[in-house]
Amino acid sequence: MIRYFTAGESHGPALSAIIEGIPAGVAVTKDDIDRELRRRQQGYGRGGRMKIEQDSAEVLSGIRFGKTIGSPIALVIRNRDWENWTDRMAQFTSNEETTEKITIPRPGHADLAGRLKYGFNDIRPVIDRSSARETAARVAAGSLARTFLRQLGIEIGSRVASIGSAEDAGSEEPLRSLLEHGAEALSEAADRSEVRMIGEAAGIEAMASIDRAKEQGDTLGGVIEIFITGVPVGLGSYVQHDRRLDSQLAAAVMAVQAIKGVEIGPAFDNARKPGSEVHDAFTLMKGEGVRRPTNRSGGLEGSMSSGEVIHIRAAMKPISSLQSPLQSFDLETLEPVLSRFERSDTCAVPAAGVVAEAVVAPVIANALLEKLGGDNMDEIRERLERYREAVRSAFTG
Ligand code: EPS
């Protein structure tokens, strides 16, 4: 089973991740990892920090001659900004006397609860670890799981469905035809837009609203959609709560900073409709087995993959570092003050889509490994092919 951890502070020396459980024999290039890191850094509305960083991962273990060897893979992404923070984030020299303490919590952030929970007299350690910069390490780790999946014909992609009130409406048809080529075709199309939308007019509107928010010292959230193609039927299980694939996917996406809502397919719309307009009827296709003309279940039935495209939607709240401050108070003087501004992005919804792609990859890879077992690529490929064939021929008479 694949598991991973990340470590690192936003302004410390580096971010790192150890990922274990990627089978042996997965062909990996350095660019399979760095490409995802670059994608995560893009997007209209990012702040000054993205001009400083050029994320790239050093691989310390687990890969030999361009292939995984089944052992843990350790990754390090250096923070270029660290050189500007060596005093304020010093590890062993005590600069407590000379370092300005952060004592005004930003509403909406981890600042206040984190300061109380860990007992600091300075919010800085909370800011630095709760920062969404940590997602760079998750993207690096996730890129290995998605490389594994890609070699088995399973692809992950995403688009931004809305930013603020600007919606990528009317893109359903191009979206469907892109997905026929696999979810990565969708992501490639989305990556051509700075806001990762498919419709050009929607993208222009979204960028204008980001500009307006920035001028007003405000921030914007949005909705992202993740698609996974090529997933065989029957991953996950209904027999026990912790084996349900929909809950595992939702948990992974919800664990991304600022994600506050997750739905499988159009779940909240479905909740307003009668069952006859929600459930996907079966059609038997010659040579292909069962298909559903609609996919309103988002590719999951009974908490298992249905064999259709998996479709997840996630709501990201607007970033909580606002240039136009909200009411706060000083933790030392207890005086009411306006919240302080910490350099930040105006909108990071496009990046959140890339992060969401990365965090669902280990979930799908684990569900596949649970179904098939196997420690190396040849073994897994053969078992998957046999399973796909059994599914294809199950109802073809
Ligand atoms: C972030 C604040 C900003 C963002 C950062 C997330 O960083 P800084 O405080 O250094 O300006 O740019 O995102 C990243 C650095 C990144 O790589 O995504 C925060 O507080 O969450």
Side-chain angles (χ1 to χ4, degrees), residues 11 40 46 49-50 81 109 131-133 343-345:
H11 304 99
R40 195 201 67 91
R46 300 303 299 269
R49 179 76 185 273
M50 285 306 96
D81 208 15
H109 260 285
S131 164
R133 173 134 185 87
R343 177 184 64 185
S344 184
D345 306 316

Side-chain angles (χ1 to χ4, degrees), residues 21 34 38 60 62 144 156 159 171-172 174 190-191 205 215 264 277 296 311 326 348 354 358-359 362 378 392:
D34 287 350
R38 280 195 301 275
L60 303 187
L144 297 164
I156 304 171
R159 69 141 178 177
S171 292
E172 287 66 27
D191 286 350
E205 195 193 326
E215 270 165 38
I264 304 291
E277 290 175 28
R296 294 175 291 226
H311 174 203
L326 292 175
V354 177
V359 298
D378 290 343
R392 250 194 310 268

Side-chain angles (χ1 to χ4, degrees), residues 10-11 15 40-41 46-50 53 55 81 85 106 109 124 127 130-136 257 321 342-345:
S10 179
H11 304 99
L15 296 159
R40 195 201 67 91
Q41 285 200 277
R46 300 303 299 269
R49 179 76 185 273
M50 285 306 96
E53 303 299 339
D55 294 339
D81 208 15
W85 288 76
R106 296 160 302 167
H109 260 285
R124 173 55 56 198
I127 298 176
S130 63
S131 164
R133 173 134 185 87
E134 180 268 344
T135 60
Q257 288 84 339
S321 292
E342 176 91 17
R343 177 184 64 185
S344 184
D345 306 316

